[in-house]
Structures are given as C-alpha cells and as structure tokens.
Amino acid sequence: MILERCLGSMLLVLSMLSNVLGAFVGVNIGTDVSSMPPASDVVAIVKAHQITHIRLYDADPHMLKALAGSGIEVTVGVTNEEVLGIGESASAAAAWINKNVAAYMPSTNITAIAVGSEVLTSVPHAAPVLVTAMNNLHKALVAADLNFQVKVSTPQSMDIIPKPFPPSTATFNSSWNSTIYQLLQFLKNTNSYYMLNAYPYYGYTNGNGIFPIDYALFKPLPSVKQIVDPNTLFHYNSMFDAMVDATYYSMDALNFSVIPIIVTETGWPWQGGSNEPDATVENAETFINKLIQRVSNNSGPPSQPTIPINTYIYELFNEDKRPGPISEKNWGLLFTNGTAVFPLSLGGPSQITGNSTAVFCVAKDDASEDKLRDGINWACGQGQANCSAIQSGQPCYLPNNIKNHASYAYNDYYQKMHTVGGTCDFDGTATTTTIDPSYGSCIFTGSSNSSTGRESLPPTALGPISPGGSTKLPLSKIQFLISATCLLVVLL
C-alpha cells in the first residue's frame, strides 16, 4: 500500500513539474509497421530521444506494460471500432477503463484518453453516441478515482471547419453543431481540452496555390506577402497558427471560450510519389524542426497568446503498411532501428551530448546555394576533406541537399585543418557550433560518436523548453522532490 501511494505521489509530482515546464512536443506511435520492434525496444527508443509525451492509437497491453516506471505521459486511444459499443453501454465503458487504464496505473503514467480518431469525418455513423461514449468513460474514471489524473477528449480533423481562413470568421460545419456543442460542453465541464489534428501539408497541397509553401513550413514571408486576417489585423506567421486560431474562433462562435487546444497530430511526409512533389526530406526536416521551435516558445496563436500549443508530431515510425499514396507511408521521424530520417535539432544547450566541448563547422542557414556549391567543391578538392560519406548511398547522402552536404564537407576540412590555421568561413557561408550535427548513421568528424561508430541520434528532448533553452529541472532536484514525496507518504 505504501509503495502504491508513493507511486501515485511520484506521478503527481511529475504532473506538477510538467505544468511548470510549459509547452511540450510529443509523438504519435502508429503500428501499421511491417517490422515493428518489440514494445520494450520502442520504449527504449522513446527514452533515448528524451520524448516525454506519447500518444497510442489503442491501448496495447505490451506498450502499456513496457512504459511502466518510465514517467512518460501516455495518451491511450479508444479505437473507432470501439466507440459505438462504449457509447451504448456504461458497463462496456467501465470494463474498458478497468482493463486499459486502471490496470496499469499508477506505474504507467496515463494522462488522457483519445476517444476515436476524427470520428465526425471518418465514422460519422458513430457521431450520435460519441459524446455519450466520452461521458461513460469519464464516469468510469470517477468511479475508479482517476478522473483528476486522466482527461477524456476526442481528436477531430480540420475538415469540420469548412473555411478556416480568415480565422476570425471560421465556424464549425453547421451540420455537426449539435454534436460539437455537446462535445464542447463536456470538455468545459470536465476541464479537458480540444484535440485537433492540424496538417499544414494538406492545407498547402489542397489549397490550389492560395498560400505559399513557406507559410506552411514556418518560413518567414516577405513584407509584401504577409498573411493578415482582415478583420482582426492579426499577422499569421504560419498556417499552423492559423489553423489553431480558426478552431478557437469556431468554438467562440458557439459561445465557448478558452477551452485549450492540444494538437494531437501534425507533421510532414518526407517521401511521396511523382504527383507529390512537396513530400521531401528537406521540407519534412524544415517543418518538424521549425514546429519544435514554434511550440517551445510557450506562446499561443494571435487570438490566445498566453495558451501554449502542446503538440504531438505524426509520427514516430514510418507506417509502411498503410494504404494510399506513397506519402501516407512516410511520415516517420525515425526508422525502426532508432536512427533519424533527417537531423532533428532543438538548438538548446541541454541537447548537447557526448563531447560537449567539441566545436563543429556547419553551413549557415541563409547561405546561397551557389556559394555553398563552391565551398563544397573547394573543401572536397583543394581542401582535401574526405567527402565520401556524402556520396549517393553513403550514410550522409540523405537529406540530399546542398546545405547538408556542405556542412559535412566544411566540418571534415575544419576538424583536420583548424589546428594548423584552417578556418570555418568558406566565403561567409559557414559558422561554428557546439551542437553535434551528427544524426542516424551519419557521424560528423570530431563527434564523440565517431570513435565507436555506433548509430545514434543526438537526443532531441521532445519535451518542454523555453526560448532560452531547457527549463527542465536538474535530474538531481527531480529525484529529490520524488524521494521527499515518498518519505512524506511513508511518515503519514
């Protein structure tokens, strides 16, 4: 009994810390993978990349057992196929909670239940019982004394907002008004949050060229192309922010205000078919890294600047078994061996691992491609850098772009020559950094990983960070807080 109380107290402390730390970036874990690793390996990969929040699309017992004791916050899923039964039977809801939530708590840190996935648009025949299903699950949580630890919500697609721009005039599809009103009332009554699946990739590719791709990729827009809401005069620097704000305004149109939004899915595919030219490694890398930077500044969209946009990236692994176009199978951040599809970088000092005193030479973000190409030619030629790793089929060839290849070539030259006067300049296109640019099996010269040759990704700490770097408490302080809590429980 003491141990169980202690575990419950530990989870309370972790929950309090999570609230203090601000916005987080989590990851969805889909399972339509032909070579899905065992649950224990998946959890090891998640922990190795310091991912603090995950969402499961079901309540897989192997994953929930493997997550025990990890402290990782878990959102479990009621599948679309289960919604009808739970909506029609309170006893079915109670059995679901007992089997899939209560049985694993408190050792597994389950904090939310996602009821279905885009039910209104994907399984509309279940819509009439959706909110009833949510109510039944919530009542079962109350009966199990878990309602304060576990929130209930349901992810919805942007498709239920027919005209999301300008955000200030956005409204939900009126044919769903009754169900959405009940849903919002439930979220308000239970202090839960609205789960939104927001994909700028689809907003751009289905937008008939209305918006520039830079707007979808969080890239700065020239002053003459700024995206402005004509009614509020709010400037929108990204389609992501506009989508979130459109949802806030849609809720406001039904007289519900300040129900927080969590983005349960967003991402960008890194490979597509011949008719999907925007699904590239370079675009995916840009979107994901800028998304992480955006979320990590702890601010909300223009209409709700004080409400951070907690976000789950879609997704951890590529789901190669999914039907549909090639892009549908290539949204993953990682391959199943744990290596990254493309470099992930939060840019904060807490993410530096291994030889933190090392200095690397990399290409500048704003360098022109012509100058970078000249730099590569010089470094790999006269500079005598070893550029074999950026050749086709080699570990550092992907992502196949000038900036990535230049960074590898510049760094190889710099590591070999800086002690005898070599510089990191390359006609103004290079800069030094203490963040190890290695990723996956691409190990940069000078990296602490290069001596072992092991495949590793610089931890991306997909958790709460502030604009100035990580706001995480030192591990020793967290351990002290947990130990003190447990001691207090024992004494009581």
Side-chain angles (χ1 to χ4, degrees):
M1 176 62 73
I2 289 176
L3 177 60
E4 187 172 308
R5 291 171 65 193
C6 182
L7 284 170
S9 301
M10 286 169 63
L11 291 178
L12 179 61
V13 169
L14 289 171
S15 176
M16 291 167 61
L17 289 174
S18 177
N19 292 333
V20 170
L21 295 173
F24 66 78
V25 178
V27 180
N28 289 276
I29 303 180
T31 56
D32 284 339
V33 182
S34 58
S35 56
M36 189 73 179
S40 57
D41 289 354
V42 174
V43 174
I45 289 170
V46 168
K47 291 168 71 174
H49 296 294
Q50 300 182 22
I51 297 168
T52 59
H53 297 69
I54 65 169
R55 174 186 168 213
L56 307 177
Y57 287 91
D58 52 19
D60 178 68
H62 302 292
M63 280 295 298
L64 292 174
K65 287 177 184 176
L67 285 159
S70 68
I72 295 167
E73 294 196 22
V74 183
T75 295
V76 294
V78 173
T79 66
N80 285 343
E81 292 75 20
E82 294 174 309
V83 171
L84 271 175
I86 291 173
E88 293 170 350
S89 168
S91 61
W96 195 96
I97 291 296
N98 289 334
K99 177 184 176 182
N100 300 306
V101 178
Y104 299 100
M105 294 182 70
S107 57
T108 299
N109 189 16
I110 299 172
T111 58
I113 300 171
V115 183
S117 178
E118 302 183 351
V119 169
L120 299 187
T121 50
S122 60
V123 281
H125 65 277
V129 299
L130 173 61
V131 179
T132 305
M134 296 170 70
N135 265 308
N136 287 344
L137 290 166
H138 178 71
K139 289 175 183 176
L141 288 170
V142 172
D145 198 24
L146 295 172
N147 55 300
F148 290 108
Q149 294 162 266
V150 184
K151 296 298 179 183
V152 178
S153 189
T154 178
Q156 297 302 331
S157 133
M158 280 297 299
D159 290 342
I160 64 173
I161 302 175
K163 297 179 180 178
F165 195 88
S168 61
T169 60
T171 59
F172 292 114
N173 185 326
S174 59
S175 64
W176 294 115
N177 272 1
S178 175
T179 299
I180 293 173
Y181 185 90
Q182 295 173 44
L183 166 62
L184 297 177
Q185 191 66 58
F186 170 86
L187 299 178
K188 180 180 179 180
N189 292 345
T190 60
N191 292 314
S192 190
Y193 36 79
Y194 187 96
M195 291 180 169
L196 171 67
N197 292 351
Y199 286 97
Y201 172 76
Y202 291 123
Y204 170 71
T205 57
N206 298 332
N208 298 317
I210 296 174
F211 297 108
I213 191 169
D214 286 354
Y215 177 57
L217 292 173
F218 297 93
K219 288 184 175 181
L221 298 172
S223 57
V224 295
K225 291 186 178 180
Q226 293 291 305
I227 308 298
V228 181
D229 186 313
N231 303 306
T232 62
L233 300 184
F234 285 144
H235 285 243
Y236 287 90
N237 297 321
S238 72
M239 189 180 292
F240 177 82
D241 277 71
M243 286 177 163
V244 174
D245 241 0
T247 309
Y248 275 120
Y249 279 110
S250 296
M251 289 192 283
D252 190 62
L254 291 178
N255 296 316
F256 288 90
S257 59
V258 199
I259 294 175
I261 292 171
I262 282 187
V263 175
T264 35
E265 289 181 21
T266 192
W268 197 283
W270 57 268
Q271 186 176 357
S274 58
N275 61 336
E276 300 173 299
D278 303 298
T280 67
V281 171
E282 186 171 8
N283 284 345
E285 178 185 352
T286 298
F287 179 86
I288 294 298
N289 284 315
K290 289 188 178 293
L291 168 73
I292 292 169
Q293 293 171 14
R294 165 65 189 91
V295 172
S296 299
N297 71 18
N298 289 329
S299 67
S303 80
Q304 304 291 342
T306 62
I307 305 178
I309 311 173
N310 293 323
T311 299
Y312 290 82
I313 296 172
Y314 183 83
E315 58 185 330
L316 189 66
F317 301 128
N318 296 316
E319 292 187 274
D320 60 305
K321 292 167 63 177
R322 287 185 66 84
I326 293 174
S327 63
E328 192 66 24
K329 311 171 192 296
N330 291 288
W331 292 77
L333 298 176
L334 309 177
F335 297 109
T336 52
N337 65 1
T339 61
V341 173
F342 47 78
L344 290 168
S345 174
L346 292 177
S350 64
Q351 282 76 61
I352 303 169
T353 59
N355 183 8
S356 59
T357 60
V359 175
F360 301 89
C361 179
V362 297
K364 290 181 178 178
D365 288 336
D366 58 355
S368 77
E369 288 198 0
D370 287 341
K371 284 191 174 183
L372 289 175
R373 195 171 285 106
D374 291 341
I376 293 174
N377 290 338
W378 188 90
C380 299
Q382 186 177 341
Q384 299 183 2
N386 182 354
C387 297
S388 59
I390 56 176
Q391 303 305 307
S392 179
Q394 298 305 306
C396 302
Y397 177 69
L398 294 176
N400 180 21
N401 60 65
I402 294 293
K403 179 178 175 290
N404 183 66
H405 291 178
S407 290
Y408 186 89
Y410 288 2
N411 182 69
D412 191 82
Y413 166 82
Y414 179 74
Q415 297 299 333
K416 293 173 180 175
M417 302 303 293
H418 77 277
T419 57
V420 292
T423 62
C424 179
D425 182 70
F426 292 93
D427 197 17
T429 63
T431 185
T432 56
T433 179
T434 55
I435 299 175
D436 189 343
S438 304
Y439 59 93
S441 57
C442 176
I443 309 300
F444 275 53
T445 309
S447 169
S448 60
N449 293 326
S450 60
S451 61
T452 63
R454 59 193 174 92
E455 296 184 353
S456 64
L457 173 73
T460 56
L462 297 183
I465 62 172
S466 72
S470 174
T471 60
K472 289 186 176 180
L473 291 174
L475 181 60
S476 58
K477 291 186 179 180
I478 293 176
Q479 291 172 331
F480 171 77
L481 283 170
I482 293 173
S483 299
T485 304
C486 288
L487 178 61
L488 181 61
V489 169
V490 171
L491 292 176
L492 291 175

mmCIF file of all heavy atoms in Angstrom, residues 131 178 297 407 467:
data_model
loop_
_atom_site.group_PDB
_atom_site.id
_atom_site.type_symbol
_atom_site.label_atom_id
_atom_site.label_comp_id
_atom_site.label_asym_id
_atom_site.label_seq_id
_atom_site.Cartn_x
_atom_site.Cartn_y
_atom_site.Cartn_z
ATOM 1 N N VAL A 131 -20.290 11.656 -27.800
ATOM 2 C CA VAL A 131 -20.214 12.357 -26.511
ATOM 3 C C VAL A 131 -20.735 11.456 -25.390
ATOM 4 O O VAL A 131 -20.217 11.493 -24.268
ATOM 5 C CB VAL A 131 -20.979 13.688 -26.578
ATOM 6 C CG1 VAL A 131 -20.927 14.404 -25.225
ATOM 7 C CG2 VAL A 131 -20.389 14.590 -27.669
ATOM 8 N N SER A 178 -24.904 20.379 -33.303
ATOM 9 C CA SER A 178 -25.466 19.765 -32.098
ATOM 10 C C SER A 178 -24.432 18.891 -31.393
ATOM 11 O O SER A 178 -24.230 19.000 -30.177
ATOM 12 C CB SER A 178 -26.698 18.926 -32.456
ATOM 13 O OG SER A 178 -27.181 18.244 -31.324
ATOM 14 N N ASN A 297 8.353 27.965 -27.743
ATOM 15 C CA ASN A 297 8.402 29.328 -27.219
ATOM 16 C C ASN A 297 7.261 29.615 -26.251
ATOM 17 O O ASN A 297 7.124 30.740 -25.745
ATOM 18 C CB ASN A 297 8.450 30.363 -28.355
ATOM 19 C CG ASN A 297 7.140 30.491 -29.121
ATOM 20 O OD1 ASN A 297 6.081 30.088 -28.655
ATOM 21 N ND2 ASN A 297 7.215 31.073 -30.316
ATOM 22 N N SER A 407 27.712 21.190 -44.927
ATOM 23 C CA SER A 407 28.043 21.086 -43.502
ATOM 24 C C SER A 407 29.016 19.940 -43.251
ATOM 25 O O SER A 407 29.985 20.081 -42.497
ATOM 26 C CB SER A 407 26.771 20.880 -42.673
ATOM 27 O OG SER A 407 25.985 22.044 -42.669
ATOM 28 N N PRO A 467 12.372 29.659 -24.743
ATOM 29 C CA PRO A 467 13.135 30.273 -25.823
ATOM 30 C C PRO A 467 14.625 30.338 -25.540
ATOM 31 O O PRO A 467 15.441 30.326 -26.441
ATOM 32 C CB PRO A 467 12.517 31.678 -25.908
ATOM 33 C CG PRO A 467 11.133 31.514 -25.374
ATOM 34 C CD PRO A 467 11.248 30.466 -24.325
#
